[in-house]
Amino acid sequence: MKPKKNPKADLNKNSGLYFVIGLALVLFLTWRALELKSYDTSISEAIIAHTMEPDLDEEVPITKEVTPPPPTLPPSAPTIIEVVEDTEEIEETIIQSTETDQEASIDAPVLLVDDVSMEEVEEEITVPFAVIEDVPIFPGCENGTNADKRVCFQKKVQEHIKENFKYPPIALEMGIQGKVYVQFIINSNGHVTSIKTRGPDKLLEQEAKRIMASLPQMIPGKQRGIAVNVPYSIPVNFKLMM
């Protein structure tokens, strides 16, 4: 049996092509609708009206500058010039020059040999304690030989240190101890001078210096019958008893 419809009259033949064309057309119309711009007429009219307002000119009042009158000056008295005759005589002072030239001679006083006095300066002689002929004599050591006086001197100095020894309180609290070496000079007058100390701490050195400064005046040492300076050194031991 043959079909009744004509194959050329088939409507479903190009249906896919028509669908794609219709879809493209709809997308184009949608894009144009989204891109369409519109403006508010009321805002534009307000802008135009604002720009078309006439300029308002402000009138500035015209003022006049007031000039104050010049100050009035009091009448000045007439200037009177009095002419005085110069009748006083002025004495001119002549200043003589004190400079001398090369040809001028200066008269200097002539000194004679008898007019020159020479002052003798005694030179201090220092002799060590170990080699001096006559050792310094400590008070109470006047008797005996020179060797006995030497031993007595050393003994008396040690006794003086023991009697006048005072441990510094701060050094005692801090536990400072050690040996201080003391050197001094018994000068030609028998006084103790030039005390020098060297020890582990300043507090101990000051105490050792104080003890030696309290030594009494002695009979000075002599070398060939002349009083001389005699240096002497002795250690002072600062020791804490445990």
Side-chain angles (χ1 to χ4, degrees):
M1 183 176 179
K2 297 180 179 180
K4 296 180 180 181
K5 294 182 179 181
N6 189 2
K8 296 182 179 181
D10 188 3
L11 298 177
N12 294 328
K13 183 178 180 180
N14 296 323
S15 59
L17 178 61
Y18 298 150
F19 176 76
V20 172
I21 294 173
L23 183 60
L25 183 61
V26 171
L27 291 176
F28 176 77
L29 294 176
T30 304
W31 172 70
R32 291 303 300 170
L34 293 174
E35 292 294 329
L36 183 63
K37 295 181 180 180
S38 60
Y39 301 95
D40 191 356
T41 57
S42 61
I43 296 175
S44 59
E45 292 176 357
I47 294 173
I48 294 172
H50 178 70
T51 54
M52 294 301 292
E53 289 181 359
D55 296 334
L56 298 177
D57 295 333
E58 183 178 358
E59 296 181 359
V60 180
I62 300 173
T63 58
K64 294 182 180 180
E65 183 179 358
V66 179
T67 304
T72 56
L73 298 176
S76 58
T79 304
I80 300 174
I81 300 174
E82 183 179 357
V83 179
V84 179
E85 295 182 359
D86 188 5
T87 58
E88 295 182 358
E89 295 182 358
I90 300 175
E91 296 181 358
E92 296 183 357
T93 303
I94 301 174
I95 301 175
Q96 297 181 356
S97 176
T98 58
E99 296 181 358
T100 59
D101 53 6
Q102 296 179 355
E103 298 178 356
S105 61
I106 300 174
D107 296 332
V110 179
L111 297 177
L112 301 178
V113 178
D114 296 337
D115 297 336
V116 179
S117 61
M118 299 295 293
E119 184 179 354
E120 296 182 358
V121 179
E122 296 182 358
E123 183 181 357
E124 294 185 356
I125 303 173
T126 302
V127 181
F129 184 85
V131 298
I132 192 169
E133 293 178 355
D134 298 328
V135 296
I137 300 174
F138 200 98
C141 300
E142 291 83 2
N143 300 325
T145 62
N146 192 44
D148 295 336
K149 294 176 182 178
R150 190 186 302 271
V151 174
C152 183
F153 177 89
Q154 296 174 350
K155 182 180 178 181
K156 288 291 185 179
V157 172
Q158 292 178 358
E159 290 178 356
H160 177 82
I161 294 173
K162 292 179 181 179
E163 292 175 358
N164 296 272
F165 181 84
K166 293 180 181 179
Y167 213 105
I170 299 177
L172 186 63
E173 293 178 2
M174 299 178 64
I176 301 173
Q177 60 180 350
K179 187 176 293 186
V180 178
Y181 295 91
V182 185
Q183 183 180 9
F184 56 88
I185 293 177
I186 304 169
N187 62 12
S188 57
N189 296 322
H191 295 285
V192 175
T193 60
S194 304
I195 302 173
K196 298 179 181 179
T197 58
R198 181 171 57 88
D201 190 79
K202 292 293 183 182
L203 297 173
L204 304 183
E205 292 180 0
Q206 292 175 1
E207 177 60 20
K209 188 174 183 179
R210 183 194 66 81
I211 296 172
M212 296 307 170
S214 63
L215 284 170
Q217 184 179 2
M218 310 175 195
I219 299 175
K222 295 180 180 181
Q223 185 73 12
R224 296 182 181 181
I226 301 174
V228 295
N229 297 337
V230 181
Y232 186 78
S233 59
I234 184 173
V236 180
N237 191 13
F238 291 82
K239 188 175 181 180
L240 297 174
M241 303 300 295
M242 300 297 181

